[in-house]
Amino acid sequence: MTTSTPAPQKDHGRAGRDLKAAITSAVILLAAIALSLAFWKTAFMFIVAAAVVIAVWELRKGFLAKGIDLPEQPLMVGGVVMVFVAYFWGAPALVTATAVTALAIMLHLLRRGVEGYVQNATAAVFALIYLPFLGSFVALLLAEDGSPEWTDRVDYGVLGVVAFVLVTIASDIGGYIAGVLFGKHPMAPVISPKKSWEGFAGSMLFCVAAGVALVYYVLEGEWWVGVLLGLIAVVMATLGDLCESVIKRDLGIKDMSQIIPGHGGLMDRLDSLLATVAPVWLLLHYLVFTR
């Protein structure tokens, strides 16, 4: 009797991913975002809400590896409510919806009894802030009105989301190129062995260039605001990526799921975006949109 051995995982080299599948998945996701923003920007909120639901599902699945059982139903429902409340009624309503959802989650967990209550409630509130609360800043960004002088057909909300997504992508692309070509000095070898200081320098170069171009030429803001946007984006995107790597290492998993070919889980793509969006909204709201 012979026993079959599992096929070895394909080595993707220093890239650490299946580049062809990753590019294909990224193009499809970006196309869905572009179409929703182009035809009816409110439709993009349904994409954000769906992303929150999937991310909660992934995080619960990952936390179960450590015996932590997130209450996914109230997190999902509350997260969707938070996204739309932020879009239609703004930041104060988002804060209120977040507080109400946190209380609802803690009340929901009472049904499970005393055992593990503090652990599960603490993890649930962490998940609430990490996913729907931070994700709702995309809604705040999209809700911005007004428009630059070069157009009256596209408002600041749509342009702001485009700028936020592109500057974060610039960080990823710059880090990938510089890391593959020049990466020699690990930034955090225990947390993320493939992330290097050379890659971070590439991310910074691409981010600042993208930030200046987007703010000055698209949003018609001051060039130095673009520099700030790039610096904030590269720092926050890197921290977001490292934090998610720490979470996965603590849980003992490689990817949150395999829902996106070439990328792993949705959380593996949202980590830098979630960390970046709040400071980006704050910067653009006060230094570009309401100046």
Side-chain angles (χ1 to χ4, degrees):
M1 181 177 179
T2 60
T3 58
S4 59
T5 57
Q9 290 187 340
K10 187 175 181 180
D11 183 14
H12 299 300
R14 296 176 72 177
R17 70 176 80 169
D18 183 343
L19 189 58
K20 183 178 179 181
I23 292 175
T24 301
S25 300
V27 169
I28 293 173
L29 290 172
L30 289 173
I33 292 172
L35 287 172
S36 65
L37 292 175
F39 291 101
W40 183 42
K41 76 173 189 175
T42 304
F44 182 57
M45 287 299 92
F46 291 93
I47 295 178
V48 175
V52 167
V53 169
I54 295 171
V56 168
W57 171 77
E58 287 185 343
L59 198 62
R60 179 179 181 271
K61 181 181 176 184
F63 276 23
L64 284 173
K66 287 287 188 179
I68 302 171
D69 189 4
L70 292 176
E72 63 178 358
Q73 289 84 6
L75 271 170
M76 289 177 177
V77 173
V80 171
V81 170
M82 288 162 59
V83 167
F84 283 97
V85 160
Y87 180 67
F88 288 108
W89 292 290
L94 170 60
V95 173
T96 303
T98 304
V100 171
T101 303
L103 291 172
I105 287 170
M106 288 187 282
L107 289 173
H108 177 85
L109 286 172
L110 289 175
R111 300 168 56 190
R112 299 183 183 177
V114 175
E115 186 70 25
Y117 179 84
V118 172
Q119 173 182 269
N120 292 328
T122 303
V125 174
F126 165 79
L128 179 71
I129 299 300
Y130 186 38
L131 297 176
F133 181 72
L134 291 180
S136 294
F137 279 85
V138 178
L140 294 178
L141 188 57
L142 186 63
E144 297 285 348
D145 54 13
S147 61
E149 292 183 1
W150 65 268
T151 180
D152 57 359
R153 299 183 62 183
V154 186
D155 62 24
Y156 276 133
V158 171
L159 295 175
V161 169
V162 170
F164 150 66
V165 172
L166 290 182
V167 78
T168 309
I169 290 175
S171 173
D172 197 23
I173 293 175
Y176 174 81
I177 293 174
V180 169
L181 294 179
F182 311 111
K184 293 182 179 179
H185 301 87
M187 178 180 289
V190 175
I191 299 172
S192 185
K194 293 185 180 295
K195 191 171 291 294
S196 65
W197 284 108
E198 290 82 2
F200 179 76
S203 292
M204 182 174 295
L205 179 64
F206 273 58
C207 258
V208 171
V212 172
L214 289 164
V215 170
Y216 189 76
Y217 292 106
V218 177
L219 300 178
E220 295 184 344
E222 300 292 339
W223 66 269
W224 57 268
V225 177
V227 174
L228 284 179
L229 176 64
L231 293 176
I232 289 173
V234 69
V235 171
M236 298 309 298
T238 303
L239 288 176
D241 187 45
L242 289 175
C243 286
E244 208 236 354
S245 295
V246 168
I247 292 172
K248 291 190 293 186
R249 285 191 174 274
D250 187 29
L251 296 175
I253 57 178
K254 183 179 184 297
D255 294 313
M256 285 296 182
S257 74
Q258 295 297 324
I259 198 170
I260 305 178
H263 287 285
L266 185 63
M267 281 292 300
D268 299 303
R269 291 297 90 202
L270 291 181
D271 50 8
S272 55
L273 292 168
L274 287 170
T276 306
V277 63
V280 166
W281 170 77
L282 191 68
L283 178 77
L284 295 180
H285 178 76
Y286 287 104
L287 295 183
V288 177
F289 302 149
T290 58
R291 57 192 170 90

